[in-house]
Amino acid sequence: MSEEKKVMTLQEQLRADLIEMYLAGDITAAETAQSMEVSLRQCRRLVSRYRESGRDGVVNLRRGKPGNYQLKEELKTQAVKLIRTRCRGMSPTGAWRLLNAGFGLSISKETVRKLMMAEKTWVAHPGKIP
C-alpha cells in the first residue's frame, strides 16, 4: 500500500496561519472569523479542530461539504413572511418548531437561523472562543 502525503491547499494554509495568529493573541476571534470569511461559530469549530490535531499534521480546515439543496423561492417567501409576523422575538429553534409543526413547512433549523439573521429578527450573540 502506498501512503499518500496530504498537502494543504493555499486556503487551508492561510486559515492555519490565521488560527496561529489568533492563538498567539495577535488578532481577535472576530478578526480571525472575518478574515476566513466564516461565522464566529464556525471559527470556534475550526480552532477546536486545529487544537485537537496537535498542529503537527494536516487538518481539514475547509468549511465543510457544500450543500446541494436550494430552498425553493416560494417556500422561502412563505417562511420569511411567517418569520416577520409570527416568529418575532423567538429563538431560531422556537421559530423552527412553529414553522414545522404549526405551519407544516419542512425547513432545517440552520436555514431558519440564517433567514432570521437576514431579516434581522434575531441576532446571534457572539460567545467567547475557548
Side-chain angles (χ1 to χ4, degrees):
M1 288 183 134
S2 66
E3 199 172 302
E4 292 182 30
K5 185 175 180 177
K6 293 188 176 185
V7 179
M8 290 179 96
T9 65
L10 180 60
Q11 184 183 30
E12 290 172 326
Q13 184 60 49
L14 289 172
R15 286 184 176 184
D17 291 344
L18 286 166
I19 291 172
E20 283 288 337
M21 290 172 63
Y22 165 70
L23 293 174
D26 297 335
I27 59 176
T28 66
E31 292 169 333
T32 304
Q34 184 178 13
S35 296
M36 288 194 281
E37 296 180 353
V38 298
S39 69
L40 195 55
R41 180 174 161 191
Q42 290 167 320
C43 182
R44 269 197 304 269
R45 290 177 177 175
L46 289 172
V47 169
S48 177
R49 191 179 310 156
Y50 188 79
R51 282 183 175 154
E52 289 171 3
S53 75
R55 299 184 193 126
D56 53 0
V58 175
V59 182
N60 182 6
L61 293 177
R62 293 186 187 111
R63 286 180 63 179
K65 190 170 113 178
N68 60 358
Y69 177 77
Q70 292 294 320
L71 191 61
K72 292 182 179 143
E73 197 59 40
E74 61 191 44
L75 183 59
K76 181 179 177 180
T77 304
Q78 187 179 8
V80 167
K81 183 179 176 184
L82 289 169
I83 286 171
R84 285 183 189 155
T85 57
R86 304 285 180 130
C87 301
R88 199 167 274 289
M90 296 177 85
S91 69
T93 302
W96 172 77
R97 286 184 184 136
L98 180 66
L99 292 174
N100 279 283
F103 297 102
L105 299 179
S106 182
I107 304 175
S108 71
K109 280 186 210 177
E110 185 64 17
T111 301
V112 171
R113 186 182 74 80
K114 287 179 182 178
L115 289 173
M116 290 181 81
M117 287 173 60
E119 292 298 314
K120 297 185 178 18
T121 58
W122 181 76
V123 178
H125 301 287
K128 285 188 171 183
I129 294 181

